[in-house]
Amino acid sequence: MTPQPPDEMVDGQGGLRAHWRDVLGAVSALGDGGLAERGRRLDLAFEEEGIGGWLPGVADEQGWRCDPVPLPLPAADFAAIETGLAQRALVWQAVLGDLYGSRALLSDGFLPPALVYDNPGFLRAGPGLGEPVLQFYAADLVRGADGRWQVLADRAGTASGIAQARENRRLVSRIMPELMRPVELHQLEPFFDIWQDALRRLAPPTGPGEGATVALLTPGTRSRHWFEHMFLSRELSCALVEGADLTVRGGDVFLKTLRGLQPVDVILSKVSGRLIDPLELDPGSAVGVPGLLSAMRAGRVRVANDPGAELVHAPGLAAFMPGLTRRFLGAAPLIESVACRWLGEPGGVEMVAQAPWQWVVRPAADARVPAVLPGALAPDAWAALMREMAARPWAWVAQATLPGSVAPTFDGTGLQPHPVVLRVFMVFDGMRWHAMQGGLAEVLATGVLPALRGQAHQGSGAPRRSKDVWVLREDALDIVGPPVRLAPRLALRRASGDLPSRVADSWFWLGRYVERLDRAARLVRAALARLSRGAPMLPREGLELAVLARSLAAAGVIGTEVSGAALAMTLWPALRETLGEAGAVWQLFASVSAQVASVRDRLTADMHATFTHPLRGVRDEAAQAARQGDMDRMGHAMVGISRFATAVAGVAAENMVRGGGWLFLDLGRRLERAQAVTTEVGFAIDQPPARIEQGLRLALELCDSTISYRSRYFNVLQAAPMLDLVLVDQGNPRGLAFQLVAMHAGLDELGDQRAGEERLAGAAAGLLAEVESLVGEVLAAADQAVAASAVAARLAAVADAVAGLSDRITRRYFALLPEVQTLGLSGGHSAEAAA
């Protein structure tokens, strides 16, 4: 059986360690009730601020939380960790240089070829890419029974968790400031300053005169580490890009922006090495950059970490670390690995067979495969594993079942001991390695071995817990950061074209989806108001309901089959369905959320809260009310949606610089509203002249212009004044002309980016002239009711023209393709313009 884990708080004589005294004193002062309340506040903060993801190597996606009790470390202990890991990182740099260079480690027989050539992290296309870059490194540590920290696993690929560590510190210091008052802590921020400076130093000498351009390559918003990628792009002042945002031209790497191609000098990659270039590596990769490896060979771009750095993840390499350290550095390891043995050595398999509870086994070359505790297997499974290890011993490695140490953790009622695994982050500045003065401690369930922690959480559904790691200061010296580097003087920029095309597309569709959601809410609320009256429906109410059903169908909210004489009976279940969890409105909620996630790195915390928190509440309220058939609550939820759309408009107006992001958000909103106005007004006036007055009233209601009309014309309702207000009046923000003028201004602002863009602004101006002419004809007609009835078909043509303009905007700014003449709409988002 495994030995009992040591207690982090207790020294060898059973006394309380000095560095725990102040922390536990502050915790005790809170009492169980106070600690529970702080724990709930921490949980709420993590939930509301949308922080997701966890450590790499865990297959399932779960939420994570921060324990209110931190993990303090003495400065001397952490200094020893930093020195040991710096030495270990130097060894890994040398290993990468050898295996992607001369491969003397293989030719000398120092390393078994199976640990390299069977390693999924080894890239056969790696040699020739230049000196491998290992700039960022992390290690998972556990404390042994002797009190010394040992390395459980090395992370040299896309090591994650640093953003969670930073968020832990931010939220703990905000919610529990009294814990920090008695102690002096090292800060985390200098680490990011060093890293940012180191990235810029990596730039090839052929870089542009204004300084290095650094981009962080992410798999995208669906990655469970998206929050970390967004966080790092901000902290390190680099562009957050996806593979499709970059292109290789003439050996150089460029970022595709509205203004054209902008050169990229350094890429901080958070994409798995095997997926980084679909031309030379995995052809099925949708997150890489075609031709990136060729640009690296040409020396035109540097990638950190090197795509082949993941080979050091192989568990079997840890067994050779003592020898590797002596070979490359001529010294013994300053920090040891957890006891590890490659089973290809004589007697290895027999060792495991004799003590199955003392070892975990796993494939030696592939860290992605979970470890197995042989002693816990059923007899048949144990026998099958033994046969496999005996047949291919070189493919397996055994690691000692070190239980690690335990630390006090709040379990909801009080403090209980739980095992912890410490992750420490390192960065290389070109001269030496630096550790972030803190880290991330993962809290394990009682009795879980650190080497098996991934399997312990799979399928549990419970949030995983971490601790803020405090490195205590033992002096009052000032913190010294990297020296100031003189950078070339920057030219002033106020252009809108530096926005990546993908980001512009996301802003554009965020605006469109918000407007679609608002449109759906207004139409549903209007329909519910008529269905809820209870009395037998009057003919004019039947007309209004028919127009609303037609408008709802055109907006994609209900099916086109909801019509006819039984409309009042078929519309109600259709509205309940559309607000349910599988309905069209629910899908609009999801579309808005997806677009908000894609621009999260460009939103402040307050803006993000405005874009997300109200939406969650009204979404759940609408779905619950629809299940219960509660008309009043359904209507209340629709009011909440409209208020959300208004809040988004307010945030855009008051918090966003009038640059590319704001332009495309506004452009999307204006285009979507223009389609809605032309379509709904057209449906409202598509009536026989004798019944057009009720259509005019409904058009004013849908355009939120009833009060404005009454203030001008009192209760005299005529077609020309109504159409002038909702179609031509440029001062009516709910009218068509206002949208067309705003679109013209926005497109004109973007028109100086490339030749020909002025045609799009001209198209918006042409539509405005067409609508003004149309309303002028109604005003001049002898019978305005007859003339207005005939306008409906022409408004449908205007709506089609607005949809066509949307398609042209997509091709011009987002697809970066030349305009072509098409019949109908193209795919992707453009097809949605017809919805």
Side-chain angles (χ1 to χ4, degrees), residues 180-418:
M180 293 188 167
R181 293 189 186 115
V183 297
E184 289 285 339
L185 302 183
H186 281 280
Q187 301 302 308
L188 307 182
E189 288 78 4
F191 180 82
F192 298 99
D193 296 336
I194 295 171
W195 195 358
Q196 179 179 343
D197 186 66
L199 283 170
R200 278 154 178 73
R201 290 179 185 273
L202 278 180
T206 55
E210 289 192 355
T213 300
V214 183
L216 189 151
L217 180 62
T218 172
T221 58
R222 295 188 177 182
S223 168
R224 61 196 178 107
H225 301 305
W226 166 251
F227 169 77
E228 170 145 309
H229 303 164
M230 178 274 298
F231 167 84
L232 285 177
S233 71
R234 289 183 173 182
E235 290 293 314
L236 303 177
S237 299
C238 52
L240 184 62
V241 302
E242 298 180 20
D245 297 332
L246 301 178
T247 184
V248 178
R249 305 283 178 87
D252 290 313
V253 179
F254 295 94
L255 172 64
K256 294 181 282 189
T257 72
L258 301 178
R259 193 170 61 175
L261 300 178
Q262 305 296 319
V264 174
D265 305 298
V266 179
I267 295 175
L268 176 58
S269 176
K270 293 299 177 180
V271 170
S272 176
R274 303 194 70 83
L275 303 177
I276 204 167
D277 186 347
L279 283 183
E280 298 194 41
L281 299 173
D282 186 347
S285 171
V287 296
V289 183
L292 180 58
L293 294 188
S294 67
M296 292 177 64
R297 292 191 188 95
R300 309 306 293 271
V301 69
R302 303 291 298 278
V303 177
N305 281 338
D306 192 275
E310 292 175 8
L311 75 84
V312 308
H313 293 179
L317 288 175
F320 297 87
M321 178 53 73
L324 290 169
T325 306
R326 287 189 293 269
R327 178 184 176 102
F328 289 115
L329 302 182
L334 297 177
I335 187 167
E336 297 179 351
S337 302
V338 172
C340 180
R341 183 166 180 178
W342 177 56
L343 299 190
E345 296 179 349
V349 175
E350 291 78 6
M351 176 196 69
V352 175
Q354 293 171 5
W357 285 97
Q358 296 180 15
W359 302 93
V360 294
V361 296
R362 65 194 310 172
D366 193 349
R368 300 171 301 179
V369 180
V372 175
L373 180 62
L377 295 176
D380 290 346
W382 169 223
L385 178 61
M386 283 298 301
R387 288 193 297 270
E388 173 65 21
M389 291 192 298
R392 303 169 64 246
W394 46 266
W396 294 87
V397 67
Q399 188 180 57
T401 55
L402 188 69
S405 57
V406 296
T409 302
F410 186 70
D411 65 355
T413 58
L415 297 180
Q416 297 295 332
H418 283 267

Side-chain angles (χ1 to χ4, degrees), residues 27 31-43 65-69 408-418 443 465 467:
V27 170
D32 288 345
L35 191 60
E37 190 269 337
R38 301 304 173 87
R40 285 192 294 269
R41 286 171 58 186
L42 275 173
D43 288 350
R65 299 290 185 267
C66 180
D67 187 68
V69 182
T409 302
F410 186 70
D411 65 355
T413 58
L415 297 180
Q416 297 295 332
H418 283 267
V443 179
R465 287 203 171 269
K467 284 179 175 290

Side-chain angles (χ1 to χ4, degrees), residues 632-645:
D632 181 60
R633 288 189 61 201
M634 289 168 65
H636 185 267
M638 297 305 99
V639 173
I641 292 176
S642 294
R643 290 174 179 170
F644 161 74

Side-chain angles (χ1 to χ4, degrees), residues 38 88 103 141 227 238 244 276 333 365 399 458 675 693 721 793 796:
R38 301 304 173 87
R88 194 176 181 96
R103 298 183 187 172
L141 308 175
F227 169 77
C238 52
I276 204 167
Q399 188 180 57
Q458 289 179 7
Q675 284 188 273
E693 181 176 345

Side-chain angles (χ1 to χ4, degrees), residues 14 26 100 164 198 209 225 363 369 377 418 463 504 537 566 611 616 771 808 829:
Y100 287 114
Q164 286 90 331
H225 301 305
V369 180
L377 295 176
H418 283 267
M537 191 170 292
F611 277 63
R616 298 172 188 167
V771 173
R808 294 171 66 188
H829 280 317

Side-chain angles (χ1 to χ4, degrees), residues 95 103 203-204 271 309 443 498 512 668 709 712 760 765 788 808:
V95 169
R103 298 183 187 172
V271 170
V443 179
D498 292 332
R512 297 203 66 172
Y709 186 90
R712 294 182 184 182
L760 299 184
R808 294 171 66 188

Side-chain angles (χ1 to χ4, degrees), residues 468-487:
D468 185 17
V469 177
W470 291 3
V471 178
L472 306 180
R473 297 179 62 188
E474 296 179 351
D475 53 56
L477 297 178
D478 292 334
I479 297 174
V480 178
V484 177
R485 294 184 64 205
L486 295 178

Side-chain angles (χ1 to χ4, degrees), residues 23 39 140 222 226 237 332 352 357 362 390 404 453 503 561 569 591 612 631 693 733 750 772 780:
V23 174
D140 293 344
R222 295 188 177 182
W226 166 251
S237 299
V352 175
W357 285 97
R362 65 194 310 172
R453 66 189 188 278
V503 178
E561 70 279 359
M569 298 179 61
S591 297
T612 54
M631 280 193 183
E693 181 176 345
L750 295 167
E772 288 174 341

